[in-house]
Amino acid sequence: MKIPFIDLKAQYRTIEDDVRSRINAVLEHGQYVMGPEVHELNEKLAEFAGTKHAIACSSGTDALLMALMAHGVGPGDAIFTTPFTFVATAEVIALTGATPVFVDIDPVTFNIDVESLRRAIAAMKSGERTGCRLPRCAKDLKPRGIIPVDLFGLPADYDPIMDVAQKHGLFVLSDTAQGFGSVYKGKRSGSLGHVAATSFFPAKPLGCYGDGGAVFTDDDELSELMQSVMIHGMGENRYENVRIGINGRLDSMQAAVLLAKLNIFPGELEQRQRVADAYTEQLAGIPGLVTPTIPEGYKSAWAQYSVLADDRNLIQKALRDAEIPTAIYYPLPLHLQKAFASLGYKEGDMPVSEDCAGRIFSLPMHPYLTNEQVAEITGVIRDAVS
Ligand SMILES: *Cc1c(COP(=O)(O)O)cnc(C)c1O
């Protein structure tokens, strides 16, 4: 490919010396798991996100799972989330034995639609299903929590979500795997919701060189519980097991990489914004093409630059012919995936998610994309549709 979808090599060239010396330090001290780098990273992450606690862990999936397990989520619990997300968001709900309840998205932000969320909770509580699709087993479920997803790096609308949660006594777990670095009404991703989970998978806005993730909260008790869950449900010491947990630790090498990358992360976020602005300006006014809308008071982390196209195949083919990669996130919403078939959803249940899945695709997005490359990409798209 002429233009990489995500250019981690260009990034590595700018931090090479720092990464190598930090990894060498790990090799020298030999504390490979939960070494001093992990503790330093936890402090830096909490400072960056503006939370009291941050706990780096083994992946974004485990971060979500740790937060659910710390809340004691299990069979009979309903957790509300969107079907237009990476599978892990709903997978962890099912892993705990709880039931994912899908709520359709807003057609502009691609994030959970708060009015649909209100309706779904009300329908579950009243047992009346008017105009609301619920899982087959809904009458046996009790609402417990909400997982808003910051899709493509744009925060969900947390203020009304927190109001809904408070009204019904639910917890809010922010899935900010794609949103780390974003801002909602002056608050950073990680500090939104009661607890937040992010991912450091290499392709995310802040990524390590393998799998990694983190949880964030201001709640002291929840933080201790998540720390315990992360280390096999440990109590006062490693050999006292007070609950069922997982092996969710981050290793020191990945923490070393993240410390180096966190230093350049604010600058990278600015570069992502530059690329997004250039795309939006150059793609304006193309018939049948919708570029992202960032509502007032929001800053996206621009994990992806995703557009809706009436003729997606035509544009993707023209870009492929020009050796420019694209990707579709997500071609099939989760309520229609085989893994969730037992919930009993069918086509037509989540019309906005289904419509977006049929029209969406993402363009190359990373901080090292040059203005010339953006112009080349948008030029190919203009030519294809004219
Ligand atoms: C990537 C991602 C996850 C999972 O993160 P991993 O680190 O890959 O386990 C969860 N939710 C969303 C929305 C994601 O994009």
Side-chain angles (χ1 to χ4, degrees):
M1 288 291 166
K2 205 160 58 174
I3 296 175
F5 194 68
I6 291 171
D7 197 346
L8 293 170
K9 266 188 242 156
Q11 183 195 49
Y12 178 59
R13 280 193 291 273
T14 74
I15 51 171
E16 184 169 356
D17 292 344
D18 195 20
V19 168
R20 282 182 184 273
S21 76
R22 286 176 193 271
I23 287 180
N24 273 337
V26 177
L27 292 171
E28 290 298 331
H29 68 56
Q31 289 173 258
Y32 300 122
V33 175
M34 298 282 286
E37 288 78 9
V38 176
H39 300 287
E40 187 184 344
L41 178 65
N42 287 346
E43 278 173 28
K44 296 250 164 83
L45 288 173
E47 192 189 336
F48 187 87
T51 54
K52 207 162 162 195
H53 307 281
I55 306 168
C57 65
S58 47
S59 71
T61 306
D62 287 342
L64 290 164
L65 185 60
M66 280 157 47
L68 292 179
M69 289 175 76
H71 277 97
V73 168
D77 290 337
I79 307 288
F80 299 82
T81 193
T82 103
F84 200 58
T85 175
F86 182 60
V87 62
T89 314
E91 186 181 38
V92 290
I93 300 169
L95 265 176
T96 65
T99 302
V101 178
F102 293 119
V103 174
D104 210 354
I105 55 169
D106 176 276
V108 173
T109 63
F110 309 125
N111 287 329
I112 196 163
D113 179 64
V114 183
E115 202 38 57
S116 303
L117 173 67
R118 282 195 193 99
R119 275 205 303 273
I121 296 170
M124 181 169 290
K125 283 193 148 177
S126 70
E128 286 169 39
R129 295 186 167 217
T130 39
C132 193
R133 304 289 172 208
L134 292 176
R136 191 176 279 151
C137 55
K139 66 174 187 336
D140 305 319
L141 298 177
K142 188 170 134 274
R144 273 299 307 280
I146 305 164
I147 309 185
V149 179
D150 301 343
L151 203 73
F152 304 141
L154 182 71
D157 194 1
Y158 284 94
D159 282 351
I161 292 171
M162 292 302 276
D163 288 345
V164 173
Q166 193 179 358
K167 183 171 166 211
H168 295 283
L170 313 179
F171 68 83
V172 174
L173 163 56
S174 156
D175 180 347
T176 194
Q178 300 179 14
F180 195 62
S182 65
V183 179
Y184 172 82
K185 302 186 180 176
K187 294 182 83 182
R188 279 244 195 222
S189 152
S191 70
L192 298 159
H194 298 106
V195 54
T198 197
S199 165
F200 302 129
F201 182 76
K204 311 286 178 170
L206 179 65
C208 53
Y209 291 153
D211 280 304
V215 287
F216 301 82
T217 189
D218 287 333
D219 182 330
D220 298 339
E221 193 187 332
L222 186 61
S223 174
E224 292 225 345
L225 282 169
M226 291 191 293
Q227 177 93 21
S228 167
V229 167
M230 180 175 79
I231 309 176
H232 300 292
M234 73 181 270
E236 290 295 307
N237 66 63
R238 226 161 267 281
Y239 300 102
E240 186 190 46
N241 310 107
V242 296
R243 60 182 58 81
I244 296 299
I246 62 173
N247 175 0
R249 298 167 305 218
L250 184 73
D251 51 68
S252 310
M253 296 269 191
Q254 299 302 345
V257 171
L258 285 163
L259 284 168
K261 289 208 194 184
L262 195 54
N263 281 336
I264 59 163
F265 189 51
E268 287 193 336
L269 288 167
E270 284 172 25
Q271 292 303 311
R272 286 178 184 272
Q273 185 63 50
R274 168 188 59 82
V275 172
D277 288 342
Y279 271 138
T280 300
E281 192 189 312
Q282 292 166 33
L283 294 174
I286 296 183
L289 192 82
V290 182
T291 56
T293 299
I294 307 302
E296 185 76 33
Y298 291 58
K299 263 190 205 154
S300 178
W302 293 110
Q304 305 293 342
Y305 188 91
S306 304
V307 298
L308 294 171
D310 291 348
D311 198 342
R312 174 170 72 187
N313 287 343
L314 175 89
I315 300 176
Q316 280 194 296
K317 181 177 181 306
L319 289 166
R320 201 179 313 119
D321 290 347
E323 291 187 66
I324 295 163
T326 58
I328 297 178
Y329 305 113
Y330 294 92
L332 188 65
L334 298 184
H335 68 290
L336 301 177
Q337 292 281 0
K338 190 174 169 194
F340 298 107
S342 66
L343 298 176
Y345 288 102
K346 56 182 192 328
E347 218 176 307
D349 283 350
M350 305 283 147
V352 182
S353 298
E354 291 166 34
D355 172 58
C356 290
R359 293 194 292 144
I360 206 155
F361 73 98
S362 304
L363 297 172
M365 169 50 86
H366 59 80
Y368 304 92
L369 213 53
T370 64
N371 292 340
E372 291 70 32
Q373 287 174 318
V374 173
E376 184 184 338
I377 294 165
T378 58
V380 172
I381 296 174
R382 282 201 169 274
D383 289 347
V385 295
S386 65

